[in-house]
Amino acid sequence: MKMIDLRSDTVTHPTEAMRQAMYEAEVGDDVYGEDPSINKLEMMAAAKVGKAAGLFVPSGTMSNLLAILVQTTRGNEIIVGSESHIFHYEVGGASALGGVVLRTVNNQPHGEIELEDIEKSIRSQDIHSPPTALICLENTQNRCGGMVLTPFYTAKVVKLARAHNLKVHLDGARLFNAAVAQNVSAMELSRGVDSVGICLSKGLSAPVGSVICGSSEFIERARKWRKMLGGGMRQAGVIAAAGIVALETMVERLAEDHANAKKLAEGMRTIKDIIVTQDIVPTNIILFETAKNIDAVKFSAKMKAEGVLLSPRGGNQFRVVTHRMVSTADIDTVLMTFTKVIKNLKS
Ligand code: TLP
């Protein structure tokens, strides 16, 4: 049976063009800075987000960790969204490895953190307080259902940060989704931030990798930290080559994933006992709940048995994510499967 895998856009496989580029990739030893494919990818990524330099890293998690390690010292506090990936899914690396305190500030349902909530959370010079060093934003905001931050909002956060002498990091794991959804460039979405990480291995379909971007000085320090963490790769041009294809050819098509997500959400809203918990679906992520009288464990097991994989989020909450390997026809199949499984569970 063909499975329709809606757990994440991370499940996308490399395209034929990526495999070909990987096969043909020019390589060198990247620890010596001699891998031409990596150097090209880093320059391309940095140019896309309007920064001076980039660094190829194995994962989005490492790009966030490097941004924190470079822009803080032990005992600092950093401001992160209450729904941020850094807080929920990065194994506490910022605290365990960077020695920083995570100050979570509420994400609003549309992903933003209120400016005044950020301002209230910035520490004074009081002797008892860990000094605030960094504000971290996330665009799109995964756990808010792929909500987008506008360039206008990000500019306001940057202005606030500057007024308090703080740095801003942007977790742009799905920055290109945010750009395509708003018809703005990734550069506009990154204007003013000190560091921005983009993921190649989500909707863009590359097999591995992220690029963290910032000033040349920032990247020089990040490179040293990456080496310490064991992330100094050698002929990794074979994977960077797929990342180049991702940036060159896979950005605009994200609009298809967004259209499929909208279609899916519209269909789900008509199914009794499925409750889409976000008012809008701007990108490729949908959060939903099953009615209380549906056994959530049985529900996801039955969906799987019928060929549809979902991400459980605890209790009766789930996430579905559209991507290149889910077609518009698959969306119809998913909707039929939802209806069938709910009906079966109730009878
Ligand atoms: N997110 C994954 C899981 O870890 C939850 C997913 O399936 O959505 N920032 C954001 C906003 C992310 O969503 C993710 C991955 C990361 C960072 C980390 O990227 P990787 O998985 O490359 O370390």
Side-chain angles (χ1 to χ4, degrees), residues 124-267:
S124 66
Q125 301 288 321
D126 189 285
I127 191 169
H128 302 89
S129 306
T132 310
L134 179 69
I135 302 170
C136 298
L137 298 177
E138 186 178 307
N139 200 6
T140 66
Q141 184 71 51
N142 182 349
R143 281 177 55 95
C144 293
M147 293 295 168
V148 299
L149 303 179
T150 63
F152 181 63
Y153 169 76
T154 304
K156 283 195 291 187
V157 175
V158 168
K159 190 165 172 220
L160 176 65
R162 293 292 169 264
H164 292 269
N165 210 15
L166 307 178
K167 303 274 188 198
V168 179
H169 169 61
L170 176 59
D171 174 352
R174 296 186 181 82
L175 191 67
F176 292 104
N177 293 84
V180 167
Q182 298 178 82
N183 202 16
V184 297
S185 66
M187 193 188 295
E188 284 168 85
L189 293 173
S190 315
R191 188 157 290 142
V193 304
D194 300 282
S195 55
V196 47
I198 55 158
C199 283
L200 304 162
S201 62
K202 303 204 160 53
L204 300 185
S205 300
V208 187
S210 287
V211 186
I212 177 81
C213 301
S215 68
S216 305
E217 195 221 341
F218 168 88
I219 292 299
E220 210 175 296
R221 295 182 59 205
R223 190 179 294 280
K224 190 100 175 173
W225 275 112
R226 184 187 70 172
K227 189 78 180 90
M228 191 192 287
L229 296 172
M233 298 178 285
R234 302 293 178 173
Q235 287 76 30
V238 285
I239 46 177
I244 293 171
V245 176
L247 287 183
E248 280 174 346
T249 66
M250 303 300 282
V251 173
E252 295 310 320
R253 66 148 307 286
L254 293 172
E256 291 170 34
D257 302 341
H258 300 172
N260 280 337
K262 282 194 178 68
K263 177 179 155 82
L264 179 55
E266 272 166 31

Side-chain angles (χ1 to χ4, degrees), residues 281-295:
V281 177
T283 59
N284 65 334
I285 299 178
I286 306 169
L287 307 179
F288 72 96
E289 293 177 5
T290 48
K292 296 273 183 285
N293 57 344
I294 304 278
D295 182 323

